[in-house]
Structure formats: C-alpha cells, structure tokens
C-alpha cells in the first residue's frame, strides 16, 4: 500500500558552528563522500577516498580553534565544513568540503567566504588554500571568489636512510629535550621563522605535535642556536593504515646548506622510527630546493595548486627556505 508523504522544501544549512572532536566520524563521512564525488566527476569513477586518521582530525581541529567551522542541515547532519588555520601572519583553509547533496546551491561560496573573512578579522597577511590542479571546476570556482592561482606545490619523497655519525651532534629532537629547555627552543624557532617571513609562527603546530604524540620537531643547531627546524608527523594519514611516511608539515632553514642537512636529519629520523620515506611538500617558487631534492633521489608523488586571496598572497624570504604545508 502506498503512503502519501507531505513534501516540504529543504531548509538551507545553518552555521557556522565550531567543530569539536565528537564531530569527527561525520566529518570523515562528508570528507570521503565529497572527494570521492570530485574524483568521479574528474573521470576516476573507481576511486573511493578513505577516511582520515581521527588523530589527524584532532590535530587539525585543535590547531584551527575557532577557525574550525561546520554547517548543519535541518536534521542536524553535517552539510559542509571548513577548517581554517592561522599560523601567526599566515592563514590557510583546509580541509574543506560540501556534501554532494548540498553542492551547486551556494553553500561552497558561503564556507569559503566565511573562512576568508574570519582570517581577515584575525589580521592574517596571507590567505590561501590548495586544490587539485587538474580540476578546472574547482579552480574556476575559487577564482570567482577572488582567489588567484600561484605556484604548484610538489609532494616529493626521500627514502629513509641512516645519517653519518657526524650528524648526531648538530641535530636535536624537540621531544627529547628536558622540559625546561623546550620553551626556549620553541621561542628560537618562532623567532627564526618570523625573521625570515615577518609574523610567521609555527609554535602552535610544534606544541600540538608533541602533546598529541603525532610525531616530532627536528632541529638543526649551529653554535647552540636553531638554524632550522621541521615539524613532521609519523602517524598514518589514513584511518587503519600502517605507518609509511614521515610527513613534513613545516620546514624552516636559514640557507640551502641547512636545508640539505635538515633533509638528511629527516631521512635519519624516518629510518630510526620505522618509516619508509619522508614526504616533503615543496612550494614551486623554491626551485633550487626542489633541484637539490631531486638530485638526491627524491621522487615526485603529487601536485597541488596553491591559490591566494587577492592582496593576501605569500612571498618567499630573501634568503633561506620556509615550507608551509597547506594540508593536514
């Protein structure tokens, strides 16, 4: 027997609400559905995007704080989200997604413009995101909101390998330092990044990495002073996967020599922590650093297109290297 149902129009999603850890299972579902649908539209119908590791979500939510935003439909389900981050003067958005059921109705514009306006209120001097360069729809959509294409980010991997014994005296691991020394070292790292790009501050990512036991911060020392550091996560990115990569989220080096040494330190740390390789996301404007990585056997694994809000584009330091991953 057929039962008549009263049709009612769907109300527009409401928000933003602050994301909390208990939202992670539903965030994962929206993330997987949205990006699987994106791959299908790009002609890859057999790709199913897996759930992210809940530990990675917890890091992203804690790092974003009030910038972790979601929108709910009239039944309380998550319709969209935008995890918006601020590292001192640098602001970026990711991950962000709209569930396929709510696409093409203006919600995407809402979550992106809300993120941009939030970052402007926080006095961010850089505002951007990354998207897949082959996806013309995404590039056109973000461009319509005032975001301009910049350089490619190239994810490259270096095989894990023990370093020569001479490395040991010049490299430190933040997590191995006495608690009394940690604050001083974190302050040195903040001063180093800000001296190269004014206002850049990765100390929150360093502290959360330590607190949540996701990886470590590796330090290159010169005359008892920090000459470079890298925040790297060893926990699997995908839920249920084994540890395979040491993922570098932030990397700062005073010069190319310190950068080379940092890569050696990271490869050594990966080997000692039972990880097969180091993944570094190289912003395309650092062509010399990219050349150095390729010359030591690095392999290109993935590319993303960096896009920035008009008037809020990033720049590179006059000397040295600052890699800042706009993904989690």
């Amino acid at each position: 027997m057929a039962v008549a149902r009263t049709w009612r129009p769907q109300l527009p999603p409401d928000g933003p609400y602050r994301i909390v850890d208990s939202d992670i299972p539903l965030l994962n579902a929206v993330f997987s559905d949205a990006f699987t649908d994106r791959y299908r539209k790009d002609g890859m119908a057999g790709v199913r995007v897996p759930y992210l590791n809940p530990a990675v979500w917890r890091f992203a939510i804690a790092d974003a704080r009030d910038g972790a935003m979601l929108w709910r439909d009239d039944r309380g389900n998550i319709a969209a989200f935008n995890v918006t981050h601020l590292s001192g003067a640098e602001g970026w958005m990711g991950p962000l997604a709209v569930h396929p059921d709510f696409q093409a109705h203006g919600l995407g514009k809402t979550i992106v413009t809300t993120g941009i306006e939030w970052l402007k209120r926080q006095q961010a001097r850089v505002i951007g995101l990354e998207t897949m360069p082959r996806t013309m729809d995404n590039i056109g959509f973000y461009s319509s909101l005032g975001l301009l294409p910049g350089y490619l980010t190239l994810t490259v991997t270096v095989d894990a390998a023990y370093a020569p014994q001479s490395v040991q005296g010049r490299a430190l691991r933040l997590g191995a330092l006495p608690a009394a020394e940690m604050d001083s070292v974190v302050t040195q790292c903040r001063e180093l990044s800000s001296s190269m790009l004014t206002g850049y501050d990765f100390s929150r990512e360093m502290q959360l990495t330590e607190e949540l036991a996701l990886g470590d911060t590796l330090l290159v020392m010169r005359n008892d002073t920090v000459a470079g550091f890298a925040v790297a996560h060893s926990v699997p990115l995908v839920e249920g996967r084994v540890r395979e990569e040491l993922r570098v989220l932030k990397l700062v080096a005073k010069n190319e020599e310190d950068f080379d040494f940092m890569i050696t330190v990271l490869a050594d740390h990966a080997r000692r922590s039972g990880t097969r390789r180091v993944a570094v996301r190289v912003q395309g404007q650092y062509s010399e650093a990219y050349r150095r990585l390729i010359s030591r056997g690095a392999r290109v694994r993935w590319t993303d297109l960096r896009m920035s809000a008009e008037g809020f584009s990033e720049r590179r330091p006059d000397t040295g290297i600052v890699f800042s991953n706009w993904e989690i």
Side-chain angles (χ1 to χ4, degrees), residues 54 102 108 117 251 284 288:
F102 293 92
E117 292 305 314
L251 188 153
E288 175 60 22

Side-chain angles (χ1 to χ4, degrees), residues 132-145:
M132 293 180 284
R134 67 178 174 274
T135 306
M136 285 73 73
D137 289 348
N138 278 8
I139 296 170
F141 167 69
Y142 292 129
S143 297
S144 72
L145 300 180

Side-chain angles (χ1 to χ4, degrees), residues 17 22 38 52 71 73 77 101 120 131 136 148 160 184 188 198 207 242 263 269 272 294 311 319:
Y17 298 98
S22 59
R38 180 69 266 167
L52 295 180
W71 284 254
D73 65 15
N77 299 313
D101 291 348
K120 288 180 178 178
T131 188
M136 285 73 73
L148 302 175
S184 173
Q188 283 193 53
T198 303
Q207 292 162 347
V242 298
I263 299 301
H269 182 70
R272 295 177 187 278
I294 296 301
T319 60

